[in-house]
Amino acid sequence: PRHLLRNVILIPAGKFDYDLVVIGGGSGGLACSKEAAQLGQRVAVLDYVEPSLKGTKWGLGGTCVNVGCIPKKLMHQAALLGTAVKDARKYGWQIPESLSTMAEAVQNHVKSLNWGHRVQLQDKKVKYLNMKGSLVDTHTIRAVNGKGKEVLTAKNIVLATGGRPKYPTHVPGAMEFGITNVALECAGFLTGIGLDTTVMVRSIALRGFDQQMSGLVTDYMEAYGTKFSWKCTPKSIEKLPSGLLRVTWMDLNTKEEHQDTFNSVLWAVGRASETKTLNLEKVGVEINKETGKIIVATDEATSVPNIFAIGDIAEGRPELTPTAIKAGKLLARRLVGHSTELMNYDNVATTVFTPLEYGCVGLSEEEAERRHGKDQIEVYHAFYKPLEFTVAERDATQCYIKVVCLREGDQRVLGMHFTGPNAGEVTQGFSLGFQCGLTYEHLRNTVGIHPTCAEELIKLNITKRSGLDATVTGC
Amino acid sequence: VVGGGSGGLACSKEVAVLDFVEPSLKGTKWGLGGTCVNVGCVPKKLMHQAALLGTALRDARKYGWQIPESQTAMAKAVQNHMKSLNWGHRVQLQDKKVKYLNMKGSLVDEHTVRAVDAKGKEMKMSARNIVFAAGGRPKYPTHVPGAEEFGITSDDVFWLNESPKKTLVVGASYVALECAGFLAGIGLDTTVMVRRIALRGFDQQMSGLVTVYMEAHGIKFSWKCTPKRVKKLPSGLLQVTWMDLNTTEEHQDTFNSVLWAVGRAPETKTLNLEKIIVAADEATSVPNIFAIGDIAEGRPELTPTAIKAGRLLARRLVGRSTELMNYENVATTVFTPLEYGCVGLSEEEAERRHGKDQIEVYHAFYKPLEFTVAERDATQCYIKVVCLQEGEQRVLGLHFTGPNAGEVTQGFSLGFQCGLTYEHLRNTVRTHPTCAEELVKLNITKRSGLDATVTGC
């Protein structure tokens, strides 16, 4: 019988304490450890949250559950409901003006998820240690927390410690100068719950995403009330006697300096991986010096054969929860010898939950042109108006769809892009089409569900090349 | 083309279309565009949205918005939107040089149509080809005394000038359930009277989830009951007498309005025909006469299939194409308070065709993230995918109840075009956090008997 109390070193049943130790209890780490345990492995997962500079910390579950996808979507929903209240009046509901307060309920939900994850690990007989792990050698891990330390040995080790937001250390202070979806999503829900919000962008928004779509997203946000300071970079931040923060920034076009005061400054300038404290160099796990991320092969193996890395910490991987989860599960199956299936990172759908949501899968138009040449691709597109916007008198100018295809033959779809309500719900099903070699013909042969926004994807018939007006009219 | 609705307009942008709306018994009439635009899909979805916004107001409070209790008035805005669509259609026909006649058409012989307008003015026109697309209208249960005199139908409910107030909806089709859904959603006391089963023809497990949700949300159901008569009281209220088919006892209650949703019948009486029998190319028994949309026997009563069939027919008539309309695996969505999207076969139909042993059903009870903070009951939020058991497990039917069911279902229905299998679902990476991703996470089978409730990520 094994003891399940902490701070007790287990008597090893085999050569190692565990078949698998996972460092990091986030999306990838939890998925991997649960799958491995289900397949009969002895598994331990270490999860430890280094408090932020402001002292914020959280429980088991990683970025997604605590400071990512989940609270983000709930705050986004809170903001959307603010819009729904405005719409409701147009639909005949008589409602006086309303205020909003940040709901504790969001935080409570996150805490319930922490608990849920702990229970799940227990159910699946995965040992959970709320301790910070680092490598001693290729089979030994050192675990430390405020109360003590432990040493564990493992046949295989998976590193899944994710990333944390970067601070631009050359600028003392904070103002949101964003180049990622994190910046725009946060700005979006802050505006949506009624706060005066400005986004400062040094060069372009949503780097890596289709830039036409990015423009639609930010245009909508500007029309929605979020202010943008384009091509600006912060120079310094000071705290005034009043408690307000005074930010000085430079307009990169004019080279002039400007100032303004804010209550809060939110940095969303990228994320860096948690590799410094893992002691990778000593053990021989290679990292990309620039990004700090761990270099991995297609089977997630690092330069050390029994050490693997998944999720945000791995070089070249999408920084998404579902890919980390899937990679973790497939890795567990391979480690047990249950399967040889590798994770397929191509054509992964994603959604940016900005006030006007943006769902996409496959290549951006720019990338498709780069790979195939402008003459070899055909872009079908449409500006459409969600039916719900009509009575609500909402502006649908940025509601847009485009499908980027190869020009010849059945016109295989290379990329699909959608801005509009419920973009994630719309995109998921279409992304499945990429599994079976989606073509424009397939789209055209599908009958629409009426009335929806999603049906506009299968109604696409105007090409960019034709130069015709792409506004959908009537049914 | 006789009929200016979804099918007729799609087909007719190359010829002439006759559209005429016989006023309902209550005198309701409307403009060009057919059922979908005027008394179907469009106003239905807008009323459904008005009801959903009522729920959103309740949710908003849970998310921290401070909103006092609110009431609602039926929005004229919905009616105004339909009128703008009528106008839009007329402009489109003009732009495409289609002659539009607001006249009632009937057949004289296989190449001659008689057209009559509201004032009785007649004209005759000859045509090489004729397409019937006159659609359907709600039926009245004429054997129930008072039904025609005192009841309304879906023709009327979108165009009322004042609130219908306490309403009895008779019927259990999607029309009945959708109407009951939005009436209750905007705050009205609503009862649905069902003679046998709800959503006949749809997967019955899913139908049960839809109606259970409605009952949990304040809509009353009188199951296995049938109305006997409707009387108007001196107060103006309607007294309905009905029989409980289980006990054979009679009951009575009063309502402000009675809405009949007991089926639709094709507009063929004045055309000198019944529901028109058609071949795979929409041809009738007369070679140059065709029928599309609700009026055609055996066709789904849906706008998108009528539109597509209309366009393909026009292209075939011009010799531009030989492509036939494919009516299989057409996705549809029922816009009840808990929406239900589906494509392909019901579980019952799959069992009937293949045998229970040859199919595998993957399923899950999930909870939309947005419901958590809103403290909303997700008990009926459910997904099932019915597959063949062997090999790659080809998907036969896909069913989803939850928010934005139409948006979720559309993309998956495309998968049927390329022989969707369970493997495909499993190989698709999820978009997180969404409800749609639950479809690609399905892994519990009904056969296993395991708890199908989704837990955590």
Side-chain angles (χ1 to χ4, degrees), chain A residues 78 92-94 99 101 425 428 436 449 453-454, chain B residues 50 64-66 71 73 407 410 418 431 435-436:
Chain A
W93 291 94
Q94 284 145 26
L99 295 169
T101 55
E425 309 297 359
Q428 179 76 88
C436 26
I449 300 174
C453 296
Chain B
W65 291 95
Q66 281 145 25
Q71 292 172 313
E407 309 297 359
Q410 179 76 89
C418 26
T431 308
C435 297

mmCIF file with all atom_site columns, all heavy atoms in Angstrom, chain A residues 78 92-94 99 101 425 428 436 449 453-454, chain B residues 50 64-66 71 73 407 410 418 431 435-436:
data_model
loop_
_atom_site.group_PDB
_atom_site.id
_atom_site.type_symbol
_atom_site.label_atom_id
_atom_site.label_alt_id
_atom_site.label_comp_id
_atom_site.label_asym_id
_atom_site.label_entity_id
_atom_site.label_seq_id
_atom_site.pdbx_PDB_ins_code
_atom_site.Cartn_x
_atom_site.Cartn_y
_atom_site.Cartn_z
_atom_site.occupancy
_atom_site.B_iso_or_equiv
_atom_site.pdbx_formal_charge
_atom_site.auth_seq_id
_atom_site.auth_comp_id
_atom_site.auth_asym_id
_atom_site.auth_atom_id
_atom_site.pdbx_PDB_model_num
ATOM 1   N N   . ALA A 1 78  ? -19.654 38.867 -19.827 1.00 0.00 ? 78  ALA A N   1
ATOM 2   C CA  . ALA A 1 78  ? -20.205 39.964 -19.033 1.00 0.00 ? 78  ALA A CA  1
ATOM 3   C C   . ALA A 1 78  ? -20.339 41.206 -19.910 1.00 0.00 ? 78  ALA A C   1
ATOM 4   O O   . ALA A 1 78  ? -21.353 41.907 -19.880 1.00 0.00 ? 78  ALA A O   1
ATOM 5   C CB  . ALA A 1 78  ? -19.316 40.267 -17.832 1.00 0.00 ? 78  ALA A CB  1
ATOM 6   N N   . GLY A 1 92  ? -37.927 45.964 -27.542 1.00 0.00 ? 92  GLY A N   1
ATOM 7   C CA  . GLY A 1 92  ? -39.158 46.234 -26.815 1.00 0.00 ? 92  GLY A CA  1
ATOM 8   C C   . GLY A 1 92  ? -39.064 46.094 -25.315 1.00 0.00 ? 92  GLY A C   1
ATOM 9   O O   . GLY A 1 92  ? -40.034 46.378 -24.608 1.00 0.00 ? 92  GLY A O   1
ATOM 10  N N   . TRP A 1 93  ? -37.924 45.638 -24.800 1.00 0.00 ? 93  TRP A N   1
ATOM 11  C CA  . TRP A 1 93  ? -37.780 45.545 -23.345 1.00 0.00 ? 93  TRP A CA  1
ATOM 12  C C   . TRP A 1 93  ? -37.593 46.956 -22.790 1.00 0.00 ? 93  TRP A C   1
ATOM 13  O O   . TRP A 1 93  ? -36.799 47.726 -23.319 1.00 0.00 ? 93  TRP A O   1
ATOM 14  C CB  . TRP A 1 93  ? -36.584 44.677 -22.963 1.00 0.00 ? 93  TRP A CB  1
ATOM 15  C CG  . TRP A 1 93  ? -36.781 43.228 -23.280 1.00 0.00 ? 93  TRP A CG  1
ATOM 16  C CD1 . TRP A 1 93  ? -36.402 42.572 -24.414 1.00 0.00 ? 93  TRP A CD1 1
ATOM 17  C CD2 . TRP A 1 93  ? -37.434 42.262 -22.466 1.00 0.00 ? 93  TRP A CD2 1
ATOM 18  N NE1 . TRP A 1 93  ? -36.765 41.258 -24.365 1.00 0.00 ? 93  TRP A NE1 1
ATOM 19  C CE2 . TRP A 1 93  ? -37.398 41.031 -23.177 1.00 0.00 ? 93  TRP A CE2 1
ATOM 20  C CE3 . TRP A 1 93  ? -38.035 42.291 -21.205 1.00 0.00 ? 93  TRP A CE3 1
ATOM 21  C CZ2 . TRP A 1 93  ? -37.948 39.856 -22.662 1.00 0.00 ? 93  TRP A CZ2 1
ATOM 22  C CZ3 . TRP A 1 93  ? -38.584 41.114 -20.698 1.00 0.00 ? 93  TRP A CZ3 1
ATOM 23  C CH2 . TRP A 1 93  ? -38.538 39.912 -21.423 1.00 0.00 ? 93  TRP A CH2 1
ATOM 24  N N   . GLN A 1 94  ? -38.325 47.265 -21.724 1.00 0.00 ? 94  GLN A N   1
ATOM 25  C CA  . GLN A 1 94  ? -38.199 48.609 -21.149 1.00 0.00 ? 94  GLN A CA  1
ATOM 26  C C   . GLN A 1 94  ? -37.282 48.548 -19.953 1.00 0.00 ? 94  GLN A C   1
ATOM 27  O O   . GLN A 1 94  ? -37.631 48.023 -18.896 1.00 0.00 ? 94  GLN A O   1
ATOM 28  C CB  . GLN A 1 94  ? -39.563 49.151 -20.745 1.00 0.00 ? 94  GLN A CB  1
ATOM 29  C CG  . GLN A 1 94  ? -40.351 49.617 -21.967 1.00 0.00 ? 94  GLN A CG  1
ATOM 30  C CD  . GLN A 1 94  ? -41.822 49.360 -21.836 1.00 0.00 ? 94  GLN A CD  1
ATOM 31  O OE1 . GLN A 1 94  ? -42.355 49.296 -20.734 1.00 0.00 ? 94  GLN A OE1 1
ATOM 32  N NE2 . GLN A 1 94  ? -42.497 49.209 -22.964 1.00 0.00 ? 94  GLN A NE2 1
ATOM 33  N N   . LEU A 1 99  ? -25.828 50.120 -14.507 1.00 0.00 ? 99  LEU A N   1
ATOM 34  C CA  . LEU A 1 99  ? -24.395 50.181 -14.205 1.00 0.00 ? 99  LEU A CA  1
ATOM 35  C C   . LEU A 1 99  ? -23.883 48.765 -14.091 1.00 0.00 ? 99  LEU A C   1
ATOM 36  O O   . LEU A 1 99  ? -24.634 47.826 -13.922 1.00 0.00 ? 99  LEU A O   1
ATOM 37  C CB  . LEU A 1 99  ? -24.173 50.849 -12.846 1.00 0.00 ? 99  LEU A CB  1
ATOM 38  C CG  . LEU A 1 99  ? -24.561 52.297 -12.709 1.00 0.00 ? 99  LEU A CG  1
ATOM 39  C CD1 . LEU A 1 99  ? -24.529 52.673 -11.237 1.00 0.00 ? 99  LEU A CD1 1
ATOM 40  C CD2 . LEU A 1 99  ? -23.569 53.177 -13.463 1.00 0.00 ? 99  LEU A CD2 1
ATOM 41  N N   . THR A 1 101 ? -20.909 46.189 -12.082 1.00 0.00 ? 101 THR A N   1
ATOM 42  C CA  . THR A 1 101 ? -19.830 46.022 -11.112 1.00 0.00 ? 101 THR A CA  1
ATOM 43  C C   . THR A 1 101 ? -19.119 44.727 -11.481 1.00 0.00 ? 101 THR A C   1
ATOM 44  O O   . THR A 1 101 ? -19.718 43.812 -11.999 1.00 0.00 ? 101 THR A O   1
ATOM 45  C CB  . THR A 1 101 ? -20.366 45.880 -9.682  1.00 0.00 ? 101 THR A CB  1
ATOM 46  O OG1 . THR A 1 101 ? -21.291 44.798 -9.663  1.00 0.00 ? 101 THR A OG1 1
ATOM 47  C CG2 . THR A 1 101 ? -21.061 47.137 -9.222  1.00 0.00 ? 101 THR A CG2 1
ATOM 48  N N   . GLU A 1 425 ? -18.304 29.173 -32.127 1.00 0.00 ? 425 GLU A N   1
ATOM 49  C CA  . GLU A 1 425 ? -19.326 28.165 -32.431 1.00 0.00 ? 425 GLU A CA  1
ATOM 50  C C   . GLU A 1 425 ? -19.419 27.935 -33.934 1.00 0.00 ? 425 GLU A C   1
ATOM 51  O O   . GLU A 1 425 ? -19.585 26.812 -34.394 1.00 0.00 ? 425 GLU A O   1
ATOM 52  C CB  . GLU A 1 425 ? -20.691 28.603 -31.886 1.00 0.00 ? 425 GLU A CB  1
ATOM 53  C CG  . GLU A 1 425 ? -20.715 29.026 -30.419 1.00 0.00 ? 425 GLU A CG  1
ATOM 54  C CD  . GLU A 1 425 ? -20.346 27.924 -29.427 1.00 0.00 ? 425 GLU A CD  1
ATOM 55  O OE1 . GLU A 1 425 ? -20.079 26.782 -29.848 1.00 0.00 ? 425 GLU A OE1 1
ATOM 56  O OE2 . GLU A 1 425 ? -20.310 28.223 -28.226 1.00 0.00 ? 425 GLU A OE2 1
ATOM 57  N N   . GLN A 1 428 ? -15.880 26.052 -35.343 1.00 0.00 ? 428 GLN A N   1
ATOM 58  C CA  . GLN A 1 428 ? -15.494 24.689 -34.954 1.00 0.00 ? 428 GLN A CA  1
ATOM 59  C C   . GLN A 1 428 ? -15.889 23.650 -35.990 1.00 0.00 ? 428 GLN A C   1
ATOM 60  O O   . GLN A 1 428 ? -15.055 22.835 -36.395 1.00 0.00 ? 428 GLN A O   1
ATOM 61  C CB  . GLN A 1 428 ? -16.108 24.337 -33.592 1.00 0.00 ? 428 GLN A CB  1
ATOM 62  C CG  . GLN A 1 428 ? -15.768 22.919 -33.143 1.00 0.00 ? 428 GLN A CG  1
ATOM 63  C CD  . GLN A 1 428 ? -14.344 22.796 -32.637 1.00 0.00 ? 428 GLN A CD  1
ATOM 64  O OE1 . GLN A 1 428 ? -14.055 23.000 -31.471 1.00 0.00 ? 428 GLN A OE1 1
ATOM 65  N NE2 . GLN A 1 428 ? -13.434 22.467 -33.516 1.00 0.00 ? 428 GLN A NE2 1
ATOM 66  N N   . CYS A 1 436 ? -11.049 16.468 -43.895 1.00 0.00 ? 436 CYS A N   1
ATOM 67  C CA  . CYS A 1 436 ? -11.387 15.678 -45.080 1.00 0.00 ? 436 CYS A CA  1
ATOM 68  C C   . CYS A 1 436 ? -11.147 16.467 -46.356 1.00 0.00 ? 436 CYS A C   1
ATOM 69  O O   . CYS A 1 436 ? -11.871 16.323 -47.337 1.00 0.00 ? 436 CYS A O   1
ATOM 70  C CB  . CYS A 1 436 ? -12.805 15.124 -45.012 1.00 0.00 ? 436 CYS A CB  1
ATOM 71  S SG  . CYS A 1 436 ? -13.991 16.041 -44.019 1.00 0.00 ? 436 CYS A SG  1
ATOM 72  N N   . ILE A 1 449 ? -28.464 26.490 -42.864 1.00 0.00 ? 449 ILE A N   1
ATOM 73  C CA  . ILE A 1 449 ? -29.466 26.515 -41.799 1.00 0.00 ? 449 ILE A CA  1
ATOM 74  C C   . ILE A 1 449 ? -29.906 27.959 -41.690 1.00 0.00 ? 449 ILE A C   1
ATOM 75  O O   . ILE A 1 449 ? -29.081 28.865 -41.545 1.00 0.00 ? 449 ILE A O   1
ATOM 76  C CB  . ILE A 1 449 ? -28.869 26.076 -40.447 1.00 0.00 ? 449 ILE A CB  1
ATOM 77  C CG1 . ILE A 1 449 ? -28.319 24.657 -40.557 1.00 0.00 ? 449 ILE A CG1 1
ATOM 78  C CG2 . ILE A 1 449 ? -29.932 26.150 -39.352 1.00 0.00 ? 449 ILE A CG2 1
ATOM 79  C CD1 . ILE A 1 449 ? -27.590 24.216 -39.310 1.00 0.00 ? 449 ILE A CD1 1
ATOM 80  N N   . CYS A 1 453 ? -25.832 32.981 -38.894 1.00 0.00 ? 453 CYS A N   1
ATOM 81  C CA  . CYS A 1 453 ? -24.689 33.669 -39.504 1.00 0.00 ? 453 CYS A CA  1
ATOM 82  C C   . CYS A 1 453 ? -23.835 32.644 -40.241 1.00 0.00 ? 453 CYS A C   1
ATOM 83  O O   . CYS A 1 453 ? -23.275 32.917 -41.299 1.00 0.00 ? 453 CYS A O   1
ATOM 84  C CB  . CYS A 1 453 ? -23.838 34.350 -38.434 1.00 0.00 ? 453 CYS A CB  1
ATOM 85  S SG  . CYS A 1 453 ? -24.720 35.668 -37.564 1.00 0.00 ? 453 CYS A SG  1
ATOM 86  N N   . ALA A 1 454 ? -23.758 31.446 -39.658 1.00 0.00 ? 454 ALA A N   1
ATOM 87  C CA  . ALA A 1 454 ? -22.902 30.401 -40.221 1.00 0.00 ? 454 ALA A CA  1
ATOM 88  C C   . ALA A 1 454 ? -23.271 30.062 -41.664 1.00 0.00 ? 454 ALA A C   1
ATOM 89  O O   . ALA A 1 454 ? -22.398 29.713 -42.464 1.00 0.00 ? 454 ALA A O   1
ATOM 90  C CB  . ALA A 1 454 ? -22.986 29.146 -39.360 1.00 0.00 ? 454 ALA A CB  1
ATOM 91  N N   . ALA B 2 50  ? -35.747 38.367 -29.248 1.00 0.00 ? 50  ALA B N   1
ATOM 92  C CA  . ALA B 2 50  ? -36.327 39.244 -28.221 1.00 0.00 ? 50  ALA B CA  1
ATOM 93  C C   . ALA B 2 50  ? -36.471 38.469 -26.909 1.00 0.00 ? 50  ALA B C   1
ATOM 94  O O   . ALA B 2 50  ? -36.155 38.971 -25.833 1.00 0.00 ? 50  ALA B O   1
ATOM 95  C CB  . ALA B 2 50  ? -37.690 39.767 -28.665 1.00 0.00 ? 50  ALA B CB  1
ATOM 96  N N   . GLY B 2 64  ? -23.002 40.931 -12.763 1.00 0.00 ? 64  GLY B N   1
ATOM 97  C CA  . GLY B 2 64  ? -22.643 42.179 -12.112 1.00 0.00 ? 64  GLY B CA  1
ATOM 98  C C   . GLY B 2 64  ? -23.344 43.414 -12.630 1.00 0.00 ? 64  GLY B C   1
ATOM 99  O O   . GLY B 2 64  ? -23.142 44.504 -12.100 1.00 0.00 ? 64  GLY B O   1
ATOM 100 N N   . TRP B 2 65  ? -24.159 43.279 -13.674 1.00 0.00 ? 65  TRP B N   1
ATOM 101 C CA  . TRP B 2 65  ? -24.899 44.437 -14.165 1.00 0.00 ? 65  TRP B CA  1
ATOM 102 C C   . TRP B 2 65  ? -26.072 44.693 -13.220 1.00 0.00 ? 65  TRP B C   1
ATOM 103 O O   . TRP B 2 65  ? -26.784 43.780 -12.840 1.00 0.00 ? 65  TRP B O   1
ATOM 104 C CB  . TRP B 2 65  ? -25.434 44.178 -15.579 1.00 0.00 ? 65  TRP B CB  1
ATOM 105 C CG  . TRP B 2 65  ? -24.348 44.106 -16.601 1.00 0.00 ? 65  TRP B CG  1
ATOM 106 C CD1 . TRP B 2 65  ? -23.734 42.991 -17.075 1.00 0.00 ? 65  TRP B CD1 1
ATOM 107 C CD2 . TRP B 2 65  ? -23.722 45.220 -17.270 1.00 0.00 ? 65  TRP B CD2 1
ATOM 108 N NE1 . TRP B 2 65  ? -22.778 43.331 -18.001 1.00 0.00 ? 65  TRP B NE1 1
ATOM 109 C CE2 . TRP B 2 65  ? -22.755 44.677 -18.136 1.00 0.00 ? 65  TRP B CE2 1
ATOM 110 C CE3 . TRP B 2 65  ? -23.888 46.606 -17.223 1.00 0.00 ? 65  TRP B CE3 1
ATOM 111 C CZ2 . TRP B 2 65  ? -21.942 45.487 -18.945 1.00 0.00 ? 65  TRP B CZ2 1
ATOM 112 C CZ3 . TRP B 2 65  ? -23.094 47.401 -18.028 1.00 0.00 ? 65  TRP B CZ3 1
ATOM 113 C CH2 . TRP B 2 65  ? -22.128 46.839 -18.878 1.00 0.00 ? 65  TRP B CH2 1
ATOM 114 N N   . GLN B 2 66  ? -26.248 45.963 -12.859 1.00 0.00 ? 66  GLN B N   1
ATOM 115 C CA  . GLN B 2 66  ? -27.373 46.297 -11.981 1.00 0.00 ? 66  GLN B CA  1
ATOM 116 C C   . GLN B 2 66  ? -28.512 46.802 -12.841 1.00 0.00 ? 66  GLN B C   1
ATOM 117 O O   . GLN B 2 66  ? -28.489 47.923 -13.336 1.00 0.00 ? 66  GLN B O   1
ATOM 118 C CB  . GLN B 2 66  ? -26.971 47.333 -10.942 1.00 0.00 ? 66  GLN B CB  1
ATOM 119 C CG  . GLN B 2 66  ? -26.188 46.677 -9.808  1.00 0.00 ? 66  GLN B CG  1
ATOM 120 C CD  . GLN B 2 66  ? -25.120 47.574 -9.267  1.00 0.00 ? 66  GLN B CD  1
ATOM 121 O OE1 . GLN B 2 66  ? -25.220 48.804 -9.373  1.00 0.00 ? 66  GLN B OE1 1
ATOM 122 N NE2 . GLN B 2 66  ? -24.092 47.006 -8.680  1.00 0.00 ? 66  GLN B NE2 1
ATOM 123 N N   . GLN B 2 71  ? -40.099 45.291 -18.142 1.00 0.00 ? 71  GLN B N   1
ATOM 124 C CA  . GLN B 2 71  ? -41.221 44.730 -18.880 1.00 0.00 ? 71  GLN B CA  1
ATOM 125 C C   . GLN B 2 71  ? -40.924 44.820 -20.357 1.00 0.00 ? 71  GLN B C   1
ATOM 126 O O   . GLN B 2 71  ? -39.987 45.465 -20.774 1.00 0.00 ? 71  GLN B O   1
ATOM 127 C CB  . GLN B 2 71  ? -42.477 45.552 -18.620 1.00 0.00 ? 71  GLN B CB  1
ATOM 128 C CG  . GLN B 2 71  ? -43.005 45.450 -17.227 1.00 0.00 ? 71  GLN B CG  1
ATOM 129 C CD  . GLN B 2 71  ? -44.113 46.459 -17.049 1.00 0.00 ? 71  GLN B CD  1
ATOM 130 O OE1 . GLN B 2 71  ? -43.948 47.618 -17.425 1.00 0.00 ? 71  GLN B OE1 1
ATOM 131 N NE2 . GLN B 2 71  ? -45.222 46.039 -16.503 1.00 0.00 ? 71  GLN B NE2 1
ATOM 132 N N   . ALA B 2 73  ? -42.640 45.312 -24.407 1.00 0.00 ? 73  ALA B N   1
ATOM 133 C CA  . ALA B 2 73  ? -43.763 45.579 -25.303 1.00 0.00 ? 73  ALA B CA  1
ATOM 134 C C   . ALA B 2 73  ? -43.407 44.921 -26.626 1.00 0.00 ? 73  ALA B C   1
ATOM 135 O O   . ALA B 2 73  ? -42.248 44.876 -27.005 1.00 0.00 ? 73  ALA B O   1
ATOM 136 C CB  . ALA B 2 73  ? -43.920 47.079 -25.495 1.00 0.00 ? 73  ALA B CB  1
ATOM 137 N N   . GLU B 2 407 ? -25.593 27.982 -35.359 1.00 0.00 ? 407 GLU B N   1
ATOM 138 C CA  . GLU B 2 407 ? -24.207 28.342 -35.646 1.00 0.00 ? 407 GLU B CA  1
ATOM 139 C C   . GLU B 2 407 ? -23.293 27.136 -35.452 1.00 0.00 ? 407 GLU B C   1
ATOM 140 O O   . GLU B 2 407 ? -22.356 26.911 -36.211 1.00 0.00 ? 407 GLU B O   1
ATOM 141 C CB  . GLU B 2 407 ? -23.749 29.483 -34.738 1.00 0.00 ? 407 GLU B CB  1
ATOM 142 C CG  . GLU B 2 407 ? -24.679 30.701 -34.706 1.00 0.00 ? 407 GLU B CG  1
ATOM 143 C CD  . GLU B 2 407 ? -24.828 31.428 -36.040 1.00 0.00 ? 407 GLU B CD  1
ATOM 144 O OE1 . GLU B 2 407 ? -24.188 31.026 -37.041 1.00 0.00 ? 407 GLU B OE1 1
ATOM 145 O OE2 . GLU B 2 407 ? -25.614 32.389 -36.099 1.00 0.00 ? 407 GLU B OE2 1
ATOM 146 N N   . GLN B 2 410 ? -24.075 24.182 -38.409 1.00 0.00 ? 410 GLN B N   1
ATOM 147 C CA  . GLN B 2 410 ? -23.816 24.414 -39.828 1.00 0.00 ? 410 GLN B CA  1
ATOM 148 C C   . GLN B 2 410 ? -22.496 23.813 -40.296 1.00 0.00 ? 410 GLN B C   1
ATOM 149 O O   . GLN B 2 410 ? -22.455 23.082 -41.286 1.00 0.00 ? 410 GLN B O   1
ATOM 150 C CB  . GLN B 2 410 ? -23.865 25.914 -40.132 1.00 0.00 ? 410 GLN B CB  1
ATOM 151 C CG  . GLN B 2 410 ? -23.575 26.243 -41.579 1.00 0.00 ? 410 GLN B CG  1
ATOM 152 C CD  . GLN B 2 410 ? -24.762 25.938 -42.485 1.00 0.00 ? 410 GLN B CD  1
ATOM 153 O OE1 . GLN B 2 410 ? -25.625 26.771 -42.709 1.00 0.00 ? 410 GLN B OE1 1
ATOM 154 N NE2 . GLN B 2 410 ? -24.813 24.716 -43.001 1.00 0.00 ? 410 GLN B NE2 1
ATOM 155 N N   . CYS B 2 418 ? -18.290 15.214 -47.024 1.00 0.00 ? 418 CYS B N   1
ATOM 156 C CA  . CYS B 2 418 ? -17.066 14.464 -47.268 1.00 0.00 ? 418 CYS B CA  1
ATOM 157 C C   . CYS B 2 418 ? -17.029 13.197 -46.426 1.00 0.00 ? 418 CYS B C   1
ATOM 158 O O   . CYS B 2 418 ? -15.982 12.764 -45.975 1.00 0.00 ? 418 CYS B O   1
ATOM 159 C CB  . CYS B 2 418 ? -15.817 15.322 -47.062 1.00 0.00 ? 418 CYS B CB  1
ATOM 160 S SG  . CYS B 2 418 ? -15.948 16.705 -45.933 1.00 0.00 ? 418 CYS B SG  1
ATOM 161 N N   . THR B 2 431 ? -11.800 24.452 -30.543 1.00 0.00 ? 431 THR B N   1
ATOM 162 C CA  . THR B 2 431 ? -11.717 25.895 -30.343 1.00 0.00 ? 431 THR B CA  1
ATOM 163 C C   . THR B 2 431 ? -12.252 26.127 -28.934 1.00 0.00 ? 431 THR B C   1
ATOM 164 O O   . THR B 2 431 ? -13.371 25.728 -28.626 1.00 0.00 ? 431 THR B O   1
ATOM 165 C CB  . THR B 2 431 ? -12.634 26.620 -31.340 1.00 0.00 ? 431 THR B CB  1
ATOM 166 O OG1 . THR B 2 431 ? -12.352 26.174 -32.650 1.00 0.00 ? 431 THR B OG1 1
ATOM 167 C CG2 . THR B 2 431 ? -12.423 28.107 -31.284 1.00 0.00 ? 431 THR B CG2 1
ATOM 168 N N   . CYS B 2 435 ? -19.107 25.929 -27.011 1.00 0.00 ? 435 CYS B N   1
ATOM 169 C CA  . CYS B 2 435 ? -19.977 24.761 -26.849 1.00 0.00 ? 435 CYS B CA  1
ATOM 170 C C   . CYS B 2 435 ? -19.683 23.771 -27.975 1.00 0.00 ? 435 CYS B C   1
ATOM 171 O O   . CYS B 2 435 ? -19.718 22.561 -27.772 1.00 0.00 ? 435 CYS B O   1
ATOM 172 C CB  . CYS B 2 435 ? -21.451 25.157 -26.910 1.00 0.00 ? 435 CYS B CB  1
ATOM 173 S SG  . CYS B 2 435 ? -21.946 26.280 -25.583 1.00 0.00 ? 435 CYS B SG  1
ATOM 174 N N   . ALA B 2 436 ? -19.403 24.314 -29.154 1.00 0.00 ? 436 ALA B N   1
ATOM 175 C CA  . ALA B 2 436 ? -19.176 23.469 -30.332 1.00 0.00 ? 436 ALA B CA  1
ATOM 176 C C   . ALA B 2 436 ? -18.042 22.474 -30.117 1.00 0.00 ? 436 ALA B C   1
ATOM 177 O O   . ALA B 2 436 ? -18.075 21.364 -30.657 1.00 0.00 ? 436 ALA B O   1
ATOM 178 C CB  . ALA B 2 436 ? -18.867 24.349 -31.542 1.00 0.00 ? 436 ALA B CB  1
#
